[in-house]
Amino acid sequence: MNTATLDAASLLFLLGATGAYAMSFVSFALDLARRSADATTADASARASRVLASSSAAGATAQRRAGVATLERGGDDGTTGRARSPISLRVGLALAVLGFALHLVATILRGIAAARVPWANMYEFSMTGTLVIMGVFLGVLLVRDLKFLGTFVTGLVIILLGIATVGFRVDVVPLPPALQSYWLVIHVFVAILATAFFALGFALSVVQLLQHRREVAVADGLDPRGGGLSFLRSLPGSEQLENLAYRLNIIGFILWTFTLMAGAIWAERAWGRYWGWDTKEVWTFIIWVIYAGYIHARATRGWRGSRSAWLAIIGFSAVLFNFGVVNVFFKGLHAYSGL
Amino acid sequence: MSRLSDPREAATRRASARSGDPRRPDDYVDSATPPPSGPDDSITQPRLGPIGWLRWFWRQLTSMRTALFLLLLLAVAAIPGSLVPQRTSDPNGVVQYKVDNPDLFPVLDRLQVFDTYSSIWFSSIYLLLFVSLIGCVLPRTRHHLQALRSAPPRTPARLARMAGFTTRTLDGRPADDATVARAVESARAMLRKGGYRVVTFADSVSAERGYLRETGNLVFHSALVGILVTVGIGGGFGYSGQRVIVEGQSFVNTLSAYDSFNPGRFVDENRLAQYRVKLDELSVTYEEQNQNAIGQPTDYTASVTTDGGAAGAASETAVKVNEPLRIAGTDIYLLGNGYAPTITVRDPAGEVVFTDSVPFLPQDPNLTSLGVIKVPDGLAQQVGMIGFFYPTQETSEHEEGDFSSFPDLRNPVLSLNVYVGDLGLDQGVPRSVYELNTDDLTQLSGRNTDTPGIRLAPGETQELPDGLGTVSLDDVPRFASFDIHHDPTQGWVLFFAVCVLAGLLTSLFIPRRRVWMKAVRDADGGLTLEYAGLARGDDPTLESAVKDFADRHRTALAEAGSASAPISERI
Ligand code: HEM
């Protein structure tokens, strides 16, 4: 098979993956709707079960190895027992896994077609990037039940894949000499990995803010049922969400630190200086500083909670900006978008 | 644990107050003292003198809130430099910006936006940040060194309020001193084995681990200072320069050999490392198969012979993109390439008055190149020529003129427009070899004149207009442009960067925690073992660790008990 055929096959698989993700998205969205419905109808019983859950907190601790059980909400199938997962959630997850498998094949085919790593231009970077976001999400699910983020993750991946196939798609071309380096493999892949962790951290921070707003409303007695987004009631509390977001974001931050340093080492090899305030370097630095700020905020009195969550959100926005806008519209040495 | 009312946080602060915590800033989340809000609201104090104000100011500067503010400010301040071209990385862009925005340019230039990263405002922010950082790290380091040498603090009176509090009972064992001692001893041994630093009391054990977390944090912050200082000072000891070398020519590392040279403040320009580099050949591979990328370069290899440096003897190596040549403490990078047509000019008598390989600057991906030939002496008048070189010349029916359709030499053609007049070389004003100022010159041939321009293929010779002489294109070698860098502090920057990363990993992933075991005699004569922990910073697995310890301790005690306990006890 020649390059063009393989690439065409890759595109087909990618479209298939996008289709599976789209159906997965619908299923996850239905699940959120179900949570809302459950939350409103089973109001009284939920309250009762929460009382139960908190009284048996010590028992719950025993069952969860790494969980902070006292912070966990009982009484809902989405966050506790895996066995009782409702059908919408299971279908959503199965479709996401199917999409991931197709996506993986698409990416590998593209790599074979190009005879190199499939992340040398923006189309490929988006393809691999979304694959890794999905992969990290599915991987984290093995450790933590974050299925409630399914709508967000599949939604984000669909949008990015759409932009990539419509806006960034380019045919396979050989690598320019400047990219022929093992640092392309290391530096770019770690950047992608960091982005995936930041994406999940971002999603958790958004949910955290919503959850916090609801908790405040409940505490103030404004709305006994806690606002419009009633599915939030089935999700972990804002503090637990914050801790989860923090953990994902610091992994992202470490990977980003490594990206920055690997980039500097590569720049030294390729351009003869390790740091030159090239636009892309500037934005990598800005993102790094924002997340350093986020980590500090978590350790600063008065900033933990919602304020630091906003910093995580700004940080991820900067990541998206760096990828979507800086690559395409800013002038600099990193002119490898392939567009 | 975000709200101050959280009992666990309150407990944390009590415990910290007792033990003397790593000296964090006042507004650190877990810090013992509440943040003082200002000098004017300290009612109990007399009015502050200058020293008091200084102290207050210093405390503000080294607070977490200030560090956070400065960090965010730094992020914002870095943005303009990415929106506007910078003199350091894109000088031509700055010139173009001035042409495009004549009104805005002077304003922005006054604000140093074109030199964002060396501007007064950007520098102030990061210098303040680093002063704050040093002010924060120094006391913490001193404190941490003390903490490393001191024992864990006393067991708190009531463990029930601590994290992961859990109890185990020892059934059927009298709560005598011996049993308590055994429980304490076994807890001590187990915690020690788990890497804890342990102190024992009559009926309890207090243990702490994870000092490395604070060490990592301090290493991280100090290494940041290290990077800043190294970069700041190191710049003065390095130099960088550019040089264009045509195939067959050599470069000797002396100041005069450079086309451009930027020395650091402390560099002795007359004592550069001595070596010679000869460019034997620059071979370039272009894509010819892939229809989407015809003509795209896929490889540049500069074969060079080096002479001098550490090895001494001449040796042949290659320089490639991404593979610089390291020689005598300098690095040589292959950053550009093009054609340097070898041109010979003869007077009417056939005497050679000029012969040289003249680098032509590439104008497009197919290497249509522009160059200038200046012949000041030997002919009836001074002659200047502006030439276009087409490696693969073609003519289009739609557009006027020639173009190049492929970057390799498939159909090389050189076209020249000839000018005569004063070239301005004699006034001692430096002139770029790539530019010809035609304002004071008379054009004799080429576009806009009656005489057609000169066109040459390799090996051809043509008459110059007005019987000035002849010009021939002998050959078309390539040139390579090299960047030559010397940066003796680069290794140190790398070292500190590795420290940053290592410090980060340790400080974010090693949990620092305290764990306690306490034996409490019940009213009915039984013995209850209490366990609890305290997180020092983010510690997701603390509770499970306490529980795990409690289980293992209980099991160990039970096993030891069944082995040694007299049978009568069971009755
Ligand atoms: C160049 C500026 C700075 C950067 C890039 C930076 C970055 C970071 C990062 C990434 C962390 C988390 C990793 C770790 O715990 O080691 C951290 C933690 C910390 N930083 Fe900084 N920092 C800077 C300046 C400062 C300053 C000026 C202070 C003092 C006011 C400070 C105090 C702290 C403290 C107390 C922590 C521990 C936070 C915790 O326990 O979660 N930092 N910093």
Side-chain angles (χ1 to χ4, degrees):
Chain A
M1 279 209 272
N2 67 10
T3 301
T5 337
L6 282 167
D7 188 30
S10 159
L11 185 60
L12 268 182
F13 273 97
L14 197 63
L15 294 179
T18 314
Y21 287 149
M23 289 190 290
S24 166
F25 174 81
V26 170
S27 206
F28 278 128
L30 284 175
D31 182 64
L32 288 188
R34 174 197 62 82
R35 288 165 187 262
S36 299
D38 286 1
T40 25
T41 53
D43 211 1
S45 67
R47 210 173 301 153
S49 76
R50 215 166 303 142
V51 172
L52 256 179
S54 61
S55 66
S56 68
T61 321
Q63 284 148 23
R64 291 215 151 224
R65 236 201 50 215
V68 186
T70 45
L71 295 172
E72 215 139 78
R73 309 255 148 155
D76 182 83
D77 29 21
T79 50
T80 47
R82 220 162 265 184
R84 285 186 295 140
S85 248
I87 183 87
S88 50
L89 208 51
R90 268 181 291 155
V91 169
L93 185 61
L95 284 167
V97 172
L98 173 69
F100 179 75
L102 296 172
H103 197 165
L104 184 65
V105 174
T107 312
I108 291 175
L109 283 177
R110 173 78 181 194
I112 297 175
R116 55 167 159 74
V117 289
W119 52 78
N121 53 48
M122 281 192 61
Y123 170 64
E124 296 171 4
F125 188 92
S126 314
M127 178 148 83
T128 308
T130 45
L131 179 77
V132 172
I133 290 180
M134 210 63 205
V136 168
F137 174 60
L138 295 175
V140 168
L141 285 189
L142 298 176
V143 187
R144 276 303 169 100
D145 188 355
L146 298 184
K147 288 205 266 306
F148 60 88
L149 290 184
T151 329
F152 166 81
V153 175
T154 48
L156 177 76
V157 166
I158 292 167
I159 292 172
L160 291 180
L161 278 181
I163 296 175
T165 29
V166 175
F168 300 155
R169 170 136 180 106
V170 288
D171 292 308
V172 171
V173 297
L175 276 188
L179 288 189
Q180 295 169 12
S181 166
Y182 53 88
W183 287 109
L184 172 72
V185 182
I186 304 170
H187 165 71
V188 182
F189 187 73
V190 176
I192 290 176
L193 208 54
T195 306
F197 279 94
F198 283 152
L200 290 184
F202 163 82
L204 284 167
S205 294
V206 172
V207 182
Q208 173 201 337
L209 285 178
L210 295 172
Q211 186 71 293
H212 181 71
R213 214 182 54 185
R214 189 187 70 87
E215 286 166 357
V216 169
V218 171
D220 292 352
L222 290 180
D223 180 353
R225 286 193 282 104
L229 294 168
S230 34
F231 67 85
L232 288 171
R233 309 181 60 205
S234 71
L235 304 186
S238 65
E239 266 185 35
Q240 201 198 345
L241 289 168
E242 177 180 359
N243 288 337
L244 285 170
Y246 177 69
R247 224 145 289 146
L248 290 169
N249 279 328
I250 56 174
I251 295 176
F253 180 75
I254 287 169
L255 293 168
W256 196 259
T257 309
F258 184 81
T259 303
L260 191 105
M261 291 173 181
I265 296 174
W266 188 7
E268 195 276 329
R269 295 217 95 197
W271 301 324
R273 87 286 182 292
Y274 55 84
W275 194 262
W277 296 107
D278 177 63
T279 42
K280 196 80 196 204
E281 290 170 347
V282 170
W283 276 92
T284 304
F285 172 77
I286 291 174
I287 291 164
W288 189 78
V289 173
I290 295 176
Y291 277 99
Y294 163 78
I295 294 175
H296 269 213
R298 285 247 326 163
T300 306
R301 193 167 284 165
W303 276 78
R304 193 171 266 209
S306 299
R307 285 197 190 175
S308 66
W310 276 110
L311 285 181
I313 290 170
I314 293 171
F316 186 65
S317 313
V319 171
L320 287 182
F321 184 82
N322 187 27
F323 173 65
V325 180
V326 176
N327 272 354
V328 184
F329 299 107
F330 285 33
K331 199 178 150 210
L333 287 171
H334 287 74
Y336 304 129
S337 64
L339 303 180
Chain B
M1 287 201 269
S2 69
R3 266 159 240 78
L4 288 179
S5 56
D6 187 320
R8 265 180 294 162
E9 187 171 328
T12 306
R13 276 187 283 129
R14 266 194 309 280
S16 319
R18 209 168 308 128
S19 64
D21 240 359
R23 187 59 146 281
R24 302 283 171 103
D26 292 335
D27 56 346
Y28 178 73
V29 167
D30 286 347
S31 123
T33 36
S37 29
D40 35 23
D41 69 0
S42 43
I43 312 155
T44 51
Q45 269 176 19
R47 289 188 57 205
L48 288 175
I51 305 269
W53 275 102
L54 262 179
R55 241 197 229 131
W56 174 81
F57 177 76
W58 181 246
R59 213 165 45 204
Q60 294 303 308
L61 186 64
T62 56
S63 72
M64 288 298 281
R65 214 173 303 124
T66 308
L68 178 57
F69 172 73
L70 288 173
L71 270 174
L72 298 181
L73 198 60
L74 187 69
V76 173
I79 295 176
S82 72
L83 304 175
V84 166
Q86 298 296 296
R87 287 214 168 82
T88 45
S89 56
D90 185 11
N92 297 332
V94 178
V95 174
Q96 190 59 41
Y97 195 91
K98 187 173 182 178
V99 174
D100 296 343
N101 309 280
D103 299 327
L104 196 55
F105 184 85
V107 181
L108 294 183
D109 202 23
R110 281 294 282 280
L111 295 173
Q112 302 179 306
V113 178
F114 301 101
D115 306 284
T116 297
Y117 306 103
S118 52
S119 66
I120 294 176
W121 42 277
F122 192 79
S123 313
S124 322
I125 296 173
Y126 75 72
L127 287 178
L128 263 183
L129 183 59
F130 275 89
V131 170
S132 166
L133 177 58
I134 294 167
C136 171
V137 161
L138 280 184
R140 276 173 58 193
T141 309
R142 210 177 50 223
H143 212 269
H144 185 55
L145 289 177
Q146 278 165 11
L148 281 178
R149 276 179 275 127
S150 55
R154 294 191 70 86
T155 313
R158 276 183 300 160
L159 286 184
R161 312 188 63 166
M162 299 311 221
F165 176 71
T166 178
T167 60
R168 301 285 182 277
T169 45
L170 277 184
D171 334 294
R173 205 80 54 76
D176 58 11
D177 288 349
T179 316
V180 171
R182 254 208 315 277
V184 165
E185 168 52 26
S186 121
R188 190 200 65 82
M190 283 175 72
L191 286 168
R192 265 236 76 102
K193 241 173 116 188
Y196 284 81
R197 184 174 303 182
V198 191
V199 279
T200 55
F201 302 95
D203 57 354
S204 72
V205 174
S206 170
E208 175 152 9
R209 58 156 288 167
Y211 294 82
L212 256 183
R213 184 188 184 92
E214 180 75 356
T215 311
N217 183 293
L218 293 172
V219 166
F220 168 84
H221 284 92
S222 314
L224 286 181
V225 180
I227 290 182
L228 185 78
V229 171
T230 318
V231 170
I233 297 177
F237 291 99
Y239 61 81
S240 69
Q242 285 77 38
R243 168 64 199 252
V244 163
I245 310 179
V246 180
E247 282 174 321
Q249 293 184 355
S250 307
F251 159 81
V252 179
N253 192 28
T254 51
L255 184 59
S256 58
Y258 282 94
D259 297 331
S260 69
F261 190 72
N262 315 299
R265 209 171 313 151
F266 313 118
V267 172
D268 182 351
E269 300 174 1
N270 299 316
R271 303 183 62 183
L272 306 182
Q274 296 221 323
Y275 59 85
R276 172 200 298 271
V277 175
K278 175 164 174 280
L279 177 63
D280 300 320
E281 190 195 359
L282 176 67
S283 60
V284 187
T285 317
Y286 297 101
E287 179 64 40
E288 303 191 12
Q289 309 285 320
N290 186 329
Q291 291 304 313
N292 299 311
I294 297 288
Q296 183 189 307
T298 56
D299 183 62
Y300 299 102
T301 302
S303 309
V304 297
T305 306
T306 61
D307 201 346
S315 65
E316 289 178 15
T317 50
V319 189
K320 293 166 77 100
V321 181
N322 273 314
E323 290 173 33
L325 171 66
R326 319 262 185 204
I327 177 170
T330 65
D331 299 326
I332 304 180
Y333 301 88
L334 172 60
L335 289 190
N337 82 110
Y339 292 103
T342 308
I343 292 156
T344 302
V345 178
R346 292 181 176 81
D347 66 13
E351 287 292 319
V352 173
V353 296
F354 174 95
T355 180
D356 201 359
S357 294
V358 183
F360 274 43
L361 296 183
Q363 307 291 309
D364 64 23
N366 283 327
L367 294 190
T368 301
S369 308
L370 177 64
V372 163
I373 298 132
K374 296 176 187 175
V375 189
D377 305 308
L379 300 182
Q381 297 182 69
Q382 292 198 338
V383 170
M385 290 181 268
I386 297 181
F388 272 101
F389 177 73
Y390 310 95
T392 302
Q393 181 268 332
E394 269 186 55
T395 346
S396 153
E397 286 157 24
H398 314 293
E399 290 166 57
E400 230 181 301
D402 304 305
F403 67 98
S404 172
S405 62
F406 194 78
D408 214 350
L409 296 177
R410 289 182 174 171
N411 178 30
V413 168
L414 174 69
S415 82
L416 294 169
N417 294 349
V418 181
Y419 296 79
V420 289
D422 183 0
L423 295 179
L425 297 178
D426 305 330
Q427 288 112 27
V429 187
R431 304 269 174 199
S432 165
V433 292
Y434 300 107
E435 275 169 36
L436 185 68
N437 185 345
T438 56
D439 292 350
D440 301 330
L441 301 181
T442 316
Q443 187 174 1
L444 295 186
S445 75
R447 199 178 272 183
N448 310 328
T449 64
D450 301 335
T451 326
I454 296 172
R455 295 169 74 83
L456 291 166
E460 290 183 354
T461 300
Q462 299 251 336
E463 298 276 332
L464 289 168
D466 289 4
L468 284 165
T470 61
V471 57
S472 22
L473 176 62
D474 304 331
D475 192 8
V476 188
R478 289 178 186 270
F479 73 81
S481 71
F482 291 101
D483 268 32
I484 295 126
H485 289 222
H486 172 64
D487 183 354
T489 55
Q490 200 157 277
W492 283 104
V493 176
L494 183 63
F495 168 76
F496 285 123
V498 171
C499 288
V500 163
L501 200 60
L504 197 60
L505 281 167
T506 355
S507 82
L508 288 179
F509 287 133
I510 291 194
R512 176 146 189 208
R513 58 170 71 125
R514 295 200 181 129
V515 170
W516 295 285
M517 193 287 298
K518 189 175 199 172
V520 180
R521 288 167 224 227
D522 304 332
D524 57 5
L527 193 64
T528 302
L529 300 178
E530 295 183 345
Y531 305 86
L534 173 68
R536 317 281 311 275
D538 191 64
D539 188 356
T541 56
L542 174 67
E543 310 212 355
S544 61
V546 172
K547 195 198 140 281
D548 188 48
F549 166 60
D551 287 342
R552 283 187 303 123
H553 186 227
R554 170 75 180 72
T555 313
L557 279 180
E559 280 167 8
S562 64
S564 67
I567 294 173
S568 62
E569 262 190 22
R570 290 222 194 108
I571 302 170

